[in-house]
Amino acid sequence: MATVVELTSYPVKGCAGVPVSDALLTEAGLRHDRSFMVIGEDGECRTQRRDPRLAVIRPAIDLDGTRLTLSAPGEGEVAIDIDTTSTRREVKVFHNPFLGIDQGDDAATWLSQALGAPSRLVRVPPEHDRVTEGWIPGTCGYADSGAVHLVSRASLDGLNRRIAEAGGAALPMNRFRPGIVLGGWDEPHREDRIRRIAIGGAELGFAKLTGRCVVTTVDQSKGVKAGPEPLRTLAGYRRGPDGATLFGCQFSVTRAGKLAVGDEVDVIEWDGPPPGE
């Protein structure tokens, strides 16, 4: 039986994750996930692809969801009241246009100093109604493409065995920045075959396999690129039909509900017969 072994929310796109023992899974993902985004002067999102130092910026949101604190090594911290009512401005996620609410000059000054480039912080407006594509469509905040990124430990174990065989060092799960990690399976990439799944009080539907990029080569504890792994090894055995390097899956939320580490996983529908049958 598979169970949830890790839950991680990423309140600010590209910044450090926040491990949680339980969380509300909303239609847009784990509560607060990618609800904030750092942008440059042109309104385009900053990501670890070009700004790997984002990885060491740690966000924390108060329990009532009204105050955000950002901290980073050597930079101290900044705390702001979360603004959900001010004028919307145009922002972009990989050139796709959305709206955001600017979170003020204090956050902008702190981020610009921490990243060494002019930056501002925006929040998803309450009326945000993005539709994400996939086998089962859904919605999300400022995530790349979907509400939930799910990976099994067996998949990482299988990858690390291959890296070790080539003389490399094992990588931690945080290189892939998943929201939900499952344990209890021995077969790598079994999650690829899930089509509908129930966990705790929530249900999810498969959207697509996750194409991987250079962010997976960023050491999340140091905020620096440390490639070429895992992309070099994944490219040898996890290529999609379009040439994308694959690891993990994107899921849409079909029923919101509460999740907790230790929850058992009920796969409602597989692609093909259930494993072992």
Side-chain angles (χ1 to χ4, degrees):
M1 170 68 72
T3 62
V4 175
V5 294
E6 293 180 32
L7 290 171
T8 306
S9 176
Y10 302 85
V12 182
K13 180 179 180 66
C15 293
V18 179
V20 293
S21 58
D22 59 75
L24 176 65
L25 184 67
T26 73
E27 290 184 351
L30 292 173
R31 188 181 182 213
H32 303 308
D33 192 77
R34 276 85 172 190
S35 56
F36 296 86
M37 179 170 68
V38 182
I39 60 172
E41 292 179 300
D42 59 355
E44 182 68 64
C45 65
R46 292 198 181 280
T47 77
Q48 291 184 31
R49 292 163 178 83
R50 291 189 176 180
D51 295 283
R53 186 163 167 75
L54 283 166
V56 299
I57 296 177
R58 299 194 171 279
I61 297 179
D62 288 2
L63 290 177
D64 64 2
T66 62
R67 194 161 175 82
L68 170 70
T69 301
L70 302 176
S71 61
E75 301 294 345
E77 66 178 39
V78 64
I80 61 168
D81 293 326
I82 296 171
D83 185 351
T84 60
T85 62
S86 292
T87 302
R88 280 65 171 150
R89 60 162 294 171
E90 294 182 355
V91 298
K92 292 172 282 186
V93 178
F94 305 118
H95 307 296
N96 295 309
F98 296 101
L99 295 177
I101 302 173
D102 193 287
Q103 297 301 296
D105 290 341
D106 287 349
T109 299
W110 189 90
L111 284 165
S112 298
Q113 174 66 34
L115 296 173
S119 303
R120 300 198 70 84
L121 183 70
V122 296
R123 187 190 185 279
V124 167
E127 71 274 10
H128 184 76
D129 61 352
R130 178 182 180 184
V131 176
T132 57
E133 299 178 349
W135 193 73
I136 294 179
T139 188
C140 68
Y142 291 134
D144 283 5
S145 61
V148 176
H149 179 215
L150 182 148
V151 178
S152 72
R153 278 189 175 168
S155 297
L156 180 64
D157 291 343
L159 168 63
N160 277 331
R161 282 194 294 270
R162 291 173 182 264
I163 292 175
E165 289 168 0
L171 299 177
M173 184 64 82
N174 66 12
R175 285 291 187 95
F176 298 95
R177 300 172 60 81
I180 300 176
V181 178
L182 303 184
W185 287 336
D186 295 327
E187 176 191 355
H189 309 296
R190 194 172 182 178
E191 61 269 27
D192 292 7
R193 294 185 51 214
I194 297 171
R195 290 301 173 262
R196 300 179 191 274
I197 188 173
I199 309 174
E203 292 187 6
L204 301 90
F206 176 83
K208 59 185 177 181
L209 301 178
T210 306
R212 309 314 314 204
C213 69
V214 71
V215 170
T216 59
T217 69
V218 175
D219 183 324
Q220 297 294 304
S221 66
K222 298 179 180 178
V224 295
K225 292 181 179 178
E229 297 294 2
L231 293 180
R232 179 172 61 185
T233 295
L234 284 173
Y237 76 108
R238 290 287 295 171
R239 285 284 193 184
D242 61 355
T245 303
L246 305 173
F247 189 89
C249 305
Q250 298 288 333
F251 282 81
S252 299
V253 178
T254 55
R255 185 179 75 192
K258 193 168 184 180
L259 304 182
V261 171
D263 280 347
E264 294 184 348
V265 172
D266 178 16
V267 179
I268 301 168
E269 180 182 349
W270 294 94
D271 179 22
E277 296 185 11

